[in-house]
Amino acid sequence: EEVASCEAAEMVVSALVGSIGLAPTVAAIRAGKNIALANKETLVVAGDLVMAEAEQTGINLLPVDSEHSALHQALGSAPVESVRRLILTASGGPFRTWSQARINEANVADALAHPTWEMGPKITIDSATMMNKGLEIIEAHHLFGVAEDLIEVVVHPESLVHSIVEFVDGALMAQLAPNDMKFPILHALAWPDRLQSRMPGLDILVAPPLTFEPPDEERFPALRLARAALRAGGEMPAVLNAANEVAVASFLDGFCSLPTIAATVEATLDRWSARNRPLADIEQALTTDREARVVAKEELRKYLHAGVGSESRC
């Protein structure tokens, strides 16, 4: 928080992984710093509160996630009333074509073998379960003020179209670039200008054919869980994120199967639903995050004992 509030800083790039990014990002906003946001969990855990803080201080909050950067660029200055749909593209991860039985047997190395992006381990696992896209639905809702049911996900294995806006007149605006995070980072740091870059752009004459397909929510239930948490509101998105972080850490440590991640998240959400409250302040969001982790660990232990997925990996 002290670093994020550094007096000399004009912009703070918030790129911590997980809900730990919330407090320093809020500290930077309160210090009047423009934010380049790569930490999607900040908006997942406390989106309404964070956006209100940003509006109150008058800072610019610019997305660094490639999908949200694409939406930001495609939207331009268009009012939200002109949007028919926001379409988030997803690579499909390493298990896009795997059967459920094969996914049940996937190990950590399988899940970390992402076909198109080089990312840290946590976000790579989130991509493998498609929880990353679920979190991005929540992030897009808060960033752009668009209702959850107007945010769609399509699987785009080539990862060259980073997202699409459909306007009410039927026009579609897509943003394309090589699958390299340098492009959205540069856009956020330079905005509202565009800086000359030596990075090679996308050569559409040699690019592969662009394909799109619907996501399979049976094999990837994280999308359904994220939408349910967003619709429930209050503390539920923070609970979703906390449970996911706990379960992903367990998977990375080799203690559970990949399907146990979604099972733990769903069980934690179910337990929390009776006590869910509106979020009043950032402290409540942080408390929810801590307490939900305790519940998630209890639920995770049940699934480990029951042997959800592959018993050999639990």
Side-chain angles (χ1 to χ4, degrees):
E1 292 179 39
E2 182 179 350
V3 170
S5 306
C6 176
E7 185 175 351
E10 297 176 12
M11 172 176 277
V12 172
V13 179
S14 175
L16 290 165
V17 177
S19 61
I20 195 172
L22 173 60
T25 303
V26 170
I29 292 172
R30 290 173 177 172
K33 312 300 180 185
N34 290 324
I35 305 295
L37 187 67
N39 174 247
K40 63 176 64 68
E41 293 87 352
T42 287
L43 293 183
V44 172
V45 173
D48 286 337
L49 298 174
V50 171
M51 296 306 293
E53 294 256 8
E55 183 176 359
Q56 183 177 351
T57 57
I59 60 98
N60 295 310
L61 199 160
L62 301 162
V64 172
D65 269 349
S66 61
E67 298 83 357
H68 302 80
S69 176
L71 293 174
H72 183 260
Q73 294 177 66
L75 277 166
S77 59
V80 69
E81 294 79 14
S82 67
V83 173
R84 180 179 291 167
R85 287 187 301 165
L86 300 182
I87 304 172
L88 294 167
T89 55
S91 69
F95 305 134
R96 180 176 66 88
T97 61
W98 286 35
S99 68
Q100 185 64 65
R102 193 177 174 199
I103 291 172
N104 291 351
E105 296 296 323
N107 60 30
V108 174
D110 294 329
L112 291 177
H114 198 281
T116 55
W117 289 96
E118 293 183 15
M119 305 176 289
K122 195 269 182 183
I123 193 171
T124 305
I125 301 304
D126 282 349
S127 179
T129 64
M130 292 200 74
M131 179 60 82
N132 189 49
K133 213 53 50 179
L135 300 179
E136 288 176 3
I137 291 171
I138 300 173
E139 181 182 11
H141 164 73
H142 291 296
L143 274 173
F144 305 112
V146 172
E148 173 266 326
D149 61 345
L150 302 183
I151 304 171
E152 297 188 19
V153 172
V154 298
V155 175
H156 169 54
E158 296 79 27
S159 297
L160 297 176
V161 177
H162 297 292
S163 277
I164 305 165
V165 177
E166 181 181 2
F167 292 97
V168 292
D169 61 1
L172 294 133
M173 296 288 287
Q175 189 265 347
L176 287 76
N179 52 321
D180 188 331
M181 285 302 300
K182 295 186 184 74
F183 288 92
I185 292 169
L186 178 62
H187 175 71
L189 295 179
W191 188 87
D193 300 320
R194 287 193 180 265
L195 297 183
Q196 185 73 25
S197 167
R198 293 191 295 272
M199 295 184 293
L202 177 64
D203 187 342
I204 59 174
L205 296 180
V206 300
L210 305 179
T211 60
F212 303 91
E213 60 194 54
D216 184 342
E217 295 193 13
E218 292 296 319
R219 287 182 300 137
F220 302 101
L223 290 172
R224 169 179 57 81
L225 297 174
R227 289 188 183 278
L230 178 56
R231 288 194 295 268
E235 298 167 331
M236 295 297 269
V239 174
L240 169 95
N241 181 74
N244 182 63
E245 289 191 30
V246 166
V248 168
S250 178
F251 175 75
L252 284 169
D253 287 341
F255 294 129
C256 74
S257 67
L258 198 78
T260 301
I261 297 174
T264 299
V265 172
E266 186 159 23
T268 306
L269 289 171
D270 286 346
R271 274 186 60 181
W272 200 276
S273 60
R275 60 184 284 190
N276 183 37
R277 300 174 298 162
L279 273 183
D281 52 44
I282 297 296
E283 287 306 316
Q284 182 187 346
L286 295 171
T287 299
T288 298
D289 176 70
R290 290 192 298 269
E291 294 179 355
R293 289 170 189 272
V294 175
V295 175
K297 289 174 183 176
E298 293 172 359
E299 294 302 322
L300 179 62
R301 282 193 289 270
K302 294 179 186 178
Y303 285 103
L304 298 186
H305 179 72
V308 171
S310 170
E311 292 185 7
S312 65
R313 304 203 193 282
C314 291

